Amino acid sequence: MTPSTTAPHVVVIGGGICGLATAHRLAHRGTRVTLLEAGDQLGGLGTFFPYDDRRIERFYHCIMPSDAGLLGLLDELGLKDSVRWRKTTMGMVVAGRRYPFNSAFDLLRFSPLRLRDRLRFGLVSVLLRRLGRGRDLDALRAEDWLRGLYGDTVWDRLFAPMFGSKFGPSFGDVPALYLWQRLGRERNVATRGYPAGGYKVIIDAVRDSIEQAGGTVRTSTPVRRLHSAGDSSIITLDGGEVLGADHVVSTVPLPLLRRIADDALAARLPRTDLPYQGVVTAVFFLRRRLTGHYWTPVLRSGTEFDGVVAMSELAGTEATGGRHLVYVMRYTDRDSQLYLDDETAIAARWSAQLRGLYPDLGPEEIEDVRVFKAPFVEPVYPLGYLSQRPAVAVAGTNLLLATTAHVYPEVTSWNSSVALANDVVDRIAAELDQPAAAEPVR
């Protein structure tokens, strides 16, 4: 369905997966859509860097079998069958010692906890989803809930360092609902998926789909000013170019949106001001396999990073020329000293720290290290956020918001972003009274 020149015009700000999915759905409904991305790549956290003649993701990703929104999009693009599914496992590093952490037998041998704490941990973990049903977990601190269920020792030795690394100093105050959702999605032993050719294949396919349906995708096009009031919006770009729109969908974090909104629009934006954790990630190219585990939290081990993802356990090594790809990361505030530190210095320190955890990894077996940073990755939600969550529609304007501030209590992921995009498009379509979507071009 190619839009006519008189069809309503929607501008989507932000070329991450939410923005891409939004533009894709709008274009196939016959809407004139323009997607604007400030950077030179699409994909948000799915962007990549060149390595030899290959494209490697800056940050790790995986697909879960329950990711209905994302898998639905891949099906429309003809990519669903390209997802390779593998069973993955989890390790644990505590005080420098490595442990498998998948089975009841692994738990019984997990010496950082006393036997009675191991038994309690196993029983509560089996019942955790059931124990959360019917409770107002949105108004319950994660620390209060988990400490009450698991006991002080498990909280202090395992959960506090794990959640502290993810959410920063306010980790104990995060609503238990968010962690309940996360623990329901992610398990120690889990089947995970990865698309053949990597996430760039998905990004390229969505872009092609948008453009084949008559939409416009522009990269390296930052928005300098946004005015939205009544039934129209005016978007000012670099160099003074001005676009008009019947609707605008902003997928950028609210702190960034406030920077480009004019005074009148800024006064109408939600007052919600979530703190965000950024991330520092090092991508290691190894000449041998590091571990059989896909995911390994690192607790109280003297490292700046707090997690190791052996991506090749999921994605294989074919796309990396036989090299084993390992991501290590630290979630941190974008104003922290670590975030502001030089990438070369981080790479050197983290190489030494990784070898300290895996002494059999020789320096010659680390072929290369690349360090990347992202400032807005994980919102730190306050208690009672369900009642504070900002509305999608900004009153008095034709601006719609589709950000990570809106996916709660779902886990921040490509899947929840696609689901949010679907909801936003349905709102626009209902207002414009458009017909159902045409079958996307494959």
Side-chain angles (χ1 to χ4, degrees), residues 233-246:
S233 291
I234 298 173
I235 302 100
T236 305
L237 308 178
D238 263 358
E241 181 183 355
V242 175
L243 301 178
D246 299 287

Side-chain angles (χ1 to χ4, degrees), residues 135-145 172-178 381-388 408-409:
R135 300 199 61 183
D136 184 10
L137 297 180
D138 180 53
L140 181 60
R141 295 176 70 245
E143 178 176 356
D144 294 340
W145 187 50
D173 298 327
V174 172
L177 178 60
Y178 187 68
Y381 300 106
L383 283 182
Y385 186 67
L386 281 178
S387 63
Q388 305 172 41
Y408 178 89

Side-chain angles (χ1 to χ4, degrees), residues 96-137:
R97 290 191 60 187
R98 307 200 305 266
Y99 305 87
F101 204 73
N102 300 286
S103 65
F105 187 57
D106 291 341
L107 181 57
L108 287 174
R109 295 190 302 171
F110 187 65
S111 59
L113 297 178
R114 295 169 297 185
L115 179 59
R116 66 185 183 188
D117 293 316
R118 298 173 218 168
L119 295 174
R120 183 174 180 176
F121 182 95
L123 178 61
V124 172
S125 296
V126 169
L127 299 174
L128 188 63
R129 292 290 293 173
R130 186 183 305 172
L131 293 170
R133 295 192 184 108
R135 300 199 61 183
D136 184 10
L137 297 180

